[in-house]
Amino acid sequence: MPTSPPCSQPVKLLSVSAVEAFLAGTPFASRSITVLPGGTVNYLYRIQLLTPFEGSQTVVLKHAQPFWKSSMSTAWEVERQMFEVEAMTRIRPWLSSTLPVKVPKIHHFDAHNNVIIMEDCGADAVTLREFLCSGSASSTGLAETIGAAIGKFIALVHEWSRSNPDGILDVFEKSLQAKKTIACLNYDRIVATLQRADKDDLTVLSGFKVDPSDIQVISKLTDEYRSLLMSARIPGREVFLMGDLWHENILLNANEHPLRLYILDWELARIGLPGSEVGLFCAYTDLLGRANQVAYKPASVMLQNFIEAYSRISNRDMRLAQDTLVHWGINYVFWAPRGPPGDRKLVQDFVREGVEILVHFGDKDFLAQSSVKGLLPK
């Protein structure tokens, strides 16, 4: 692969023609190029190769710019790709071949031009969200398999990383941009969302009121978790996190046997509380299922099996359950008004439940009756 000399400006691959010219004369020279849908931050292309590469007719090219593709005024440094490649190349060879969860292989990384060329998950692959909402997931057996596989995968990653193998915690402690992004989404904007003082359009929360005393409790709580996130590593408590474990970043082909689940977009990989990752996946699964009648049953089954599989491997304790529940509530508050629920009453119900969680998560009886009771010590 040709790489621009360090003194040259990085390329801008913002169009099919630019990508075609960039790849000409390389092992990834294209027969045709398709812009891939989805993704708000990066530029994604499927490359139909002139000559098969490692037996494959296609690869995916991911290009980063120092801003969001969907919002060029939103800055995000391209160093995110370095952490993404580091995470994927560390996790992929470690995964057991018997586990349905996979990480795409990185074929080439051009750090100067901010280009990753990776294994293609297939033209028939869909996101987990699309799968759950399509009716194809009506088989509860498949939903059980998917939930258990993802729960087992992320629990294995968390527990494996605790001993800091090959310095993985040292490397991803430096992923400060990811930490700042999460701090903004998970902590800095929660009170503003509840007070409709955030920059986003929160008309859907019109008429929604939160008791001032609850606001004070939630403000203190989010400040504490933000401080934990940004402070020096806490030995024994923090683990390596994939960073963005939700349904848009999981691809599958339901007709493929054996089933394979591909985990994508590791740009937010960092160290942190395992409960923050578990809480995100749980909250979004619940949001999706309760907002979509088609997805309701498979999402419920998948969520149950995810928690059960995670709990069989993880270091179960009160702190894990509390951290998970807090982040379940945080993601209710932040994401419900911004999609996918849509319906005003349903959105406000989710936010109300989120507030209740954030105010009462420390109550042992509340915790024991909550959705995370399976994470408590036996």
Side-chain angles (χ1 to χ4, degrees), residues 27-47:
F28 305 106
S30 63
R31 185 182 305 278
S32 64
I33 298 175
T34 305
V35 177
L36 292 176
T40 57
V41 177
N42 300 291
Y43 295 82
L44 299 172
Y45 305 91
R46 173 172 286 119
I47 314 299

Side-chain angles (χ1 to χ4, degrees), residues 94-311:
W94 168 81
L95 284 174
S96 167
S97 60
T98 62
L99 195 65
V101 177
K102 309 295 179 186
V103 175
K105 182 179 181 179
I106 303 292
H107 294 311
H108 179 74
F109 176 43
D110 181 343
H112 179 71
N113 289 308
N114 314 311
V115 172
I116 301 172
I117 298 176
M118 70 182 80
E119 175 186 2
D120 187 2
C121 303
D124 295 328
V126 297
T127 67
L128 184 54
R129 179 191 62 78
E130 291 172 323
F131 172 70
L132 289 172
C133 296
S134 68
S136 301
S138 56
S139 165
T140 55
L142 189 53
E144 288 174 5
T145 299
I146 293 171
I150 298 170
K152 181 178 181 180
F153 161 74
I154 206 62
L156 286 170
V157 170
H158 290 170
E159 294 307 310
W160 163 76
S161 71
R162 286 186 186 277
S163 64
N164 197 20
D166 295 322
I168 191 169
L169 299 181
D170 303 325
V171 171
F172 286 92
E173 187 173 13
K174 300 171 186 175
S175 184
L176 299 180
Q177 186 170 223
K179 287 187 173 187
K180 290 176 183 177
T181 300
I182 295 303
C184 176
L185 298 179
N186 278 3
Y187 311 127
D188 297 349
R189 298 170 63 186
I190 298 303
V191 168
T193 296
L194 293 172
Q195 296 177 329
R196 289 186 59 205
D198 191 72
K199 62 181 181 179
D200 292 341
D201 180 4
L202 297 173
T203 306
V204 71
L205 292 180
S206 295
F208 184 80
K209 303 292 184 184
V210 182
D211 189 282
S213 63
D214 289 345
I215 289 288
Q216 288 184 333
V217 170
I218 293 170
S219 178
K220 181 180 178 182
L221 179 67
T222 53
D223 284 349
E224 289 173 352
Y225 272 96
R226 189 190 200 286
S227 179
L228 281 173
L229 174 67
M230 302 306 297
S231 65
R233 187 161 84 229
I234 305 172
R237 186 171 183 185
E238 293 182 302
V239 299
F240 170 80
L241 304 178
M242 180 271 168
D244 202 11
L245 190 69
W246 72 305
H247 302 58
E248 292 294 326
N249 291 339
I250 301 172
L251 293 185
L252 72 151
N253 180 349
N255 298 317
E256 184 180 55
H257 301 286
L259 177 70
R260 288 183 293 179
L261 303 161
Y262 285 94
I263 310 296
L264 309 177
D265 287 346
W266 295 69
E267 292 171 319
L268 292 176
R270 63 190 188 282
I271 66 168
L273 304 176
S276 66
E277 187 138 84
V278 178
L280 168 63
F281 185 85
C282 290
Y284 192 80
T285 303
D286 202 29
L287 284 168
L288 185 62
R290 289 167 59 186
N292 188 301
Q293 187 175 358
V294 172
Y296 179 75
K297 186 175 181 179
S300 300
V301 170
M302 189 176 75
L303 179 56
Q304 178 183 348
N305 281 269
F306 170 83
I307 293 175
E308 289 176 357
Y310 188 90
S311 68

Side-chain angles (χ1 to χ4, degrees), residues 348-359:
Q348 294 195 6
D349 286 347
F350 273 123
V351 175
R352 189 172 293 108
E353 289 176 39
V355 169
E356 183 181 16
I357 287 171
L358 296 177
V359 171

Side-chain angles (χ1 to χ4, degrees), residues 307-320:
I307 293 175
E308 289 176 357
Y310 188 90
S311 68
R312 284 194 290 269
I313 294 171
S314 68
N315 182 22
R316 295 167 56 164
D317 59 22
M318 180 76 73
R319 182 172 287 163
L320 170 65

